[in-house]
Amino acid sequence: MIRLLVTGGTFDKEYDEIGGTLFFKDTHLQEMLRLGRSRLDVAVETVMLIDSLQMSAADRARVAERCRDCAETQIVVTHGTDTMIETAAVLAGGVPGKTIVLTGAMIPYAFGSSDGLFNLGSALSFVQVLPPGVYVAMNGTHFPWNHVRKNRALGYFENA
Amino acid sequence: MIRLLVTGGTFDKEYDEIGGTLFFKDTHLQEMLRLGRSRLDVAVETVMLIDSLQMSAADRARVAERCRDCAETQIVVTHGTDTMIETAAVLAGGVPGKTIVLTGAMIPYAFGSSDGLFNLGSALSFVQVLPPGVYVAMNGTHFPWNHVRKNRALGYFENA
Amino acid sequence: MIRLLVTGGTFDKEYDEIGGTLFFKDTHLQEMLRLGRSRLDVAVETVMLIDSLQMSAADRARVAERCRDCAETQIVVTHGTDTMIETAAVLAGGVPGKTIVLTGAMIPYAFGSSDGLFNLGSALSFVQVLPPGVYVAMNGTHFPWNHVRKNRALGYFENA
Amino acid sequence: MIRLLVTGGTFDKEYDEIGGTLFFKDTHLQEMLRLGRSRLDVAVETVMLIDSLQMSAADRARVAERCRDCAETQIVVTHGTDTMIETAAVLAGGVPGKTIVLTGAMIPYAFGSSDGLFNLGSALSFVQVLPPGVYVAMNGTHFPWNHVRKNRALGYFENA
């Protein structure tokens, strides 16, 4: 069984047509798993729904705690891309013996042209076959948490 | 580098608005890689664009030949789901020493609600980490070619 | 109040992922009205869900009967484009004193890239302002039922 | 011939995946006309691409000037919904003898679930049949410019 921890990020942002702004309502992960015809045994758990620029040390500790405390040893974490690597470092320090894959999206799933479904398929696949450790799965690639950086100008992840 | 061999299947079907039928025009794989923000080094090659129910033994031999002859050792094959396993068996018998992942879609990519992007992300991820062999990547799972069947009544792949 | 009579046509076709064919399940018209944020008082009634090439004289008589018998004098009929004009002629002969606008789609609404939402907005607008008579609303234009033909080679309606 | 004046608004907003904000790049109106299979003779002209909350008196005067100066007597103006009625009032005061229909969208067209295509079909239809005057076409309805208000809490237009 795979644990899927939702923290928010662009993945789950929606457009608020009254205010004309982006916001969070509910996670789209269950809908995405249905769309992908996933037959995996996945337990989806929303830990928080926030922009990763708003994520505090306490928030990251809470994600680490959920990773440690859940029964599953294969964990996917959906996360905003801006501070994904900071959270990955916290998980690497605090959750031994599990395979944890963080992923996100550059475009909200609800906007139709998102990379989210591709990234979700990728993260769920990597988590089933990689050895214990913490990884980022973006742009079709898996990066060890300590050898990756986000290229903010171009919007993709690369080796570091 | 990854070789991506396109053979058609539901993945690439489109709606012909003049005739009201489904047909093939071009592959959507390049567009899907862009949408997924893939940064992988992928060589896309259209071997054929057909419904897998139309695929002949000669067609399967041609796919096997392309798998053998290309320089890459990581190969993804997009394929109609109906005879994906037959082609997988031919590849298993004829292409030693490479990691080959076949994938497909239940809904055409062009129809908006497709599982194709999820499956593509999944297949490209599995092909990078699985040992040499022939696999089917569908429904979030990878199956060895000789331990999988399509459940035609329910439309998904399962262990066999 | 506007009566919206659903007869099927490309508008409401869906892709059957088990059989790989196109079929009818339910009308999408209520969903389309929600998507268009319509605030019109529209009574949606599914008269039949068929391809207009399958429509018999009895079917057309039934549509005419529903147009005659309903209380509303503004009626939109969704219809396959292939025989839309034949049905329009039957309505012109059998339903006096009402404004009836037939519309359809070249691409199923469910496929994401449909002209259906544009045509629905157009038909609902024309029906509110045109004098009694029977019209076809396609391609942004309204045509009197007896001065229109479908250009089958190019897939649009034109003056005749 | 119909003149279509683009001023921006939610209609044409896009998601900037680098900055995570909404912005304007190009108008989507030509693409929307293609999607709607419009065969109307429409001259699309981008006057400005701004959020209507940013629209100044000078901007509105410029829209009025383009309405007056163009050869066409049927004009559709795409506009943000927040100040659509203010612009309509300026046009009513400054552009006599033409049929002008303002329309907009609650959701950006690029986000897939937009009301924009419905509203465009509606506005283009109303402009062909309404007598000279200035109208708002939203929610399937046409409102004379001086008998409409936007219900900001609920996000739709209503009689006033």
Side-chain angles (χ1 to χ4, degrees):
Chain A
M1 201 188 198
I2 299 169
R3 172 79 35 172
L4 187 113
L5 298 178
V6 175
T7 72
T10 298
F11 233 111
D12 275 327
K13 279 190 184 164
E14 294 184 51
Y15 184 73
D16 167 23
E17 68 185 74
I18 302 300
T21 54
L22 301 170
F23 78 128
F24 293 102
K25 199 165 57 180
D26 286 308
T27 181
H28 300 80
L29 264 299
Q30 295 282 17
E31 183 187 333
M32 294 171 74
L33 290 169
R34 272 195 302 275
L35 189 59
R37 272 80 178 154
S38 169
R39 299 267 306 157
L40 298 168
D41 201 356
V42 178
V44 178
E45 174 186 339
T46 301
V47 183
M48 60 196 76
L49 275 178
I50 61 173
D51 190 306
S52 79
L53 291 172
Q54 312 299 323
M55 203 177 270
S56 67
D59 290 328
R60 290 187 224 283
R62 201 166 133 221
V63 178
E65 186 189 290
R66 289 306 304 134
C67 287
R68 256 192 322 270
D69 291 357
C70 71
E72 295 81 8
T73 58
Q74 300 180 335
I75 304 171
V76 169
V77 180
T78 67
H79 199 288
T81 59
D82 284 317
T83 71
M84 188 183 281
I85 298 171
E86 285 89 319
T87 300
V90 171
L91 300 183
V95 193
K98 297 196 175 189
T99 301
I100 303 177
V101 178
L102 295 96
T103 194
M106 294 304 292
I107 296 264
Y109 169 71
F111 292 3
S113 61
S114 176
D115 52 333
L117 200 62
F118 180 87
N119 294 342
L120 181 61
S122 179
L124 284 171
S125 300
F126 281 132
V127 86
Q128 297 175 68
V129 286
L130 289 173
V134 178
Y135 309 87
V136 165
M138 288 292 291
N139 307 111
T141 304
H142 67 289
F143 304 92
W145 71 273
N146 55 346
H147 287 95
V148 59
R149 71 169 158 239
K150 183 179 174 186
N151 184 322
R152 287 176 204 285
L154 297 176
Y156 56 74
F157 286 74
E158 58 194 9
N159 289 305
Chain B
M1 200 188 200
I2 298 169
R3 172 78 37 170
L4 196 150
L5 298 178
V6 175
T7 72
T10 299
F11 234 110
D12 275 326
K13 279 190 185 165
E14 293 184 52
Y15 183 73
D16 167 23
E17 69 185 73
I18 302 301
T21 54
L22 301 170
F23 78 127
F24 293 103
K25 198 164 59 179
D26 285 307
T27 180
H28 299 81
L29 264 300
Q30 295 282 18
E31 182 185 334
M32 293 170 75
L33 290 169
R34 273 196 302 276
L35 189 60
R37 272 79 179 153
S38 169
R39 298 267 305 156
L40 297 168
D41 202 355
V42 178
V44 178
E45 173 186 340
T46 301
V47 184
M48 61 195 77
L49 274 178
I50 61 173
D51 190 307
S52 79
L53 290 173
Q54 312 298 324
M55 201 177 273
S56 66
D59 290 328
R60 290 186 223 283
R62 200 164 135 223
V63 177
E65 186 190 288
R66 288 306 304 133
C67 287
R68 260 193 318 270
D69 291 356
C70 71
E72 295 79 8
T73 58
Q74 299 180 338
I75 303 171
V76 168
V77 180
T78 67
H79 198 288
T81 58
D82 284 317
T83 71
M84 188 183 281
I85 299 171
E86 285 89 317
T87 299
V90 171
L91 299 183
V95 193
K98 297 196 174 189
T99 301
I100 303 177
V101 178
L102 295 98
T103 194
M106 293 305 291
I107 296 264
Y109 169 71
F111 292 2
S113 61
S114 175
D115 51 335
L117 200 62
F118 180 87
N119 293 342
L120 181 62
S122 179
L124 284 170
S125 300
F126 280 131
V127 84
Q128 296 175 69
V129 286
L130 289 173
V134 178
Y135 309 87
V136 164
M138 288 292 292
N139 306 111
T141 305
H142 67 287
F143 304 92
W145 71 271
N146 55 346
H147 287 95
V148 59
R149 71 169 159 237
K150 183 179 174 186
N151 183 322
R152 287 176 204 285
L154 297 176
Y156 57 73
F157 286 75
E158 58 193 9
N159 289 305
Chain C
M1 201 190 197
I2 298 169
R3 171 78 37 169
L4 197 154
L5 298 177
V6 175
T7 72
T10 298
F11 234 109
D12 275 327
K13 279 189 184 165
E14 293 184 53
Y15 183 74
D16 166 23
E17 69 186 74
I18 302 300
T21 53
L22 302 169
F23 78 128
F24 294 102
K25 199 165 57 180
D26 286 308
T27 181
H28 300 80
L29 265 299
Q30 295 281 18
E31 183 186 332
M32 294 170 74
L33 290 169
R34 272 195 302 274
L35 189 60
R37 272 81 177 152
S38 168
R39 298 267 306 157
L40 297 168
D41 202 355
V42 178
V44 178
E45 173 186 340
T46 301
V47 183
M48 61 195 76
L49 275 178
I50 60 173
D51 190 308
S52 80
L53 291 172
Q54 312 299 323
M55 202 178 270
S56 66
D59 290 328
R60 290 187 223 283
R62 200 165 134 222
V63 178
E65 186 189 290
R66 289 305 305 135
C67 288
R68 258 192 321 268
D69 291 357
C70 71
E72 295 81 8
T73 58
Q74 299 180 338
I75 303 171
V76 168
V77 180
T78 67
H79 199 288
T81 60
D82 284 316
T83 71
M84 188 184 282
I85 299 171
E86 285 89 319
T87 300
V90 170
L91 301 183
V95 192
K98 297 197 174 189
T99 301
I100 303 176
V101 177
L102 295 97
T103 194
M106 294 304 291
I107 296 263
Y109 169 72
F111 292 2
S113 60
S114 175
D115 52 334
L117 200 62
F118 180 88
N119 294 342
L120 181 62
S122 179
L124 285 171
S125 300
F126 280 132
V127 84
Q128 297 175 68
V129 286
L130 289 173
V134 177
Y135 308 87
V136 164
M138 288 292 290
N139 306 111
T141 306
H142 67 288
F143 304 92
W145 70 272
N146 54 346
H147 288 96
V148 58
R149 71 168 158 239
K150 182 179 173 186
N151 183 323
R152 287 176 203 284
L154 298 176
Y156 55 75
F157 286 75
E158 57 193 9
N159 290 304
Chain D
M1 200 186 199
I2 299 168
R3 172 77 39 171
L4 197 155
L5 298 177
V6 175
T7 73
T10 298
F11 234 110
D12 276 326
K13 278 190 184 164
E14 293 184 53
Y15 183 74
D16 167 24
E17 69 184 76
I18 302 300
T21 54
L22 301 170
F23 77 129
F24 293 103
K25 198 165 60 180
D26 286 307
T27 181
H28 299 81
L29 265 299
Q30 296 282 18
E31 184 186 333
M32 293 171 74
L33 290 169
R34 273 195 302 276
L35 189 60
R37 272 80 179 154
S38 168
R39 299 266 306 156
L40 297 168
D41 202 355
V42 178
V44 178
E45 174 186 339
T46 301
V47 183
M48 61 196 77
L49 274 178
I50 61 173
D51 189 307
S52 80
L53 290 172
Q54 313 298 322
M55 203 178 270
S56 66
D59 290 328
R60 290 187 224 281
R62 200 164 134 223
V63 177
E65 186 190 289
R66 290 304 305 133
C67 288
R68 260 193 319 269
D69 292 356
C70 71
E72 295 81 7
T73 57
Q74 300 180 338
I75 303 172
V76 169
V77 180
T78 67
H79 199 287
T81 59
D82 284 316
T83 71
M84 188 183 280
I85 298 170
E86 286 88 318
T87 300
V90 171
L91 300 183
V95 192
K98 297 197 174 189
T99 302
I100 303 178
V101 178
L102 295 96
T103 194
M106 294 304 292
I107 296 264
Y109 169 70
F111 292 1
S113 60
S114 175
D115 52 333
L117 199 63
F118 180 87
N119 293 342
L120 181 62
S122 179
L124 284 171
S125 299
F126 281 131
V127 84
Q128 297 175 68
V129 286
L130 289 173
V134 178
Y135 309 87
V136 164
M138 288 294 290
N139 307 110
T141 306
H142 68 288
F143 304 91
W145 71 272
N146 54 347
H147 287 95
V148 59
R149 73 170 158 238
K150 182 178 173 186
N151 183 323
R152 288 177 204 283
L154 298 176
Y156 55 75
F157 286 74
E158 57 193 9
N159 289 304

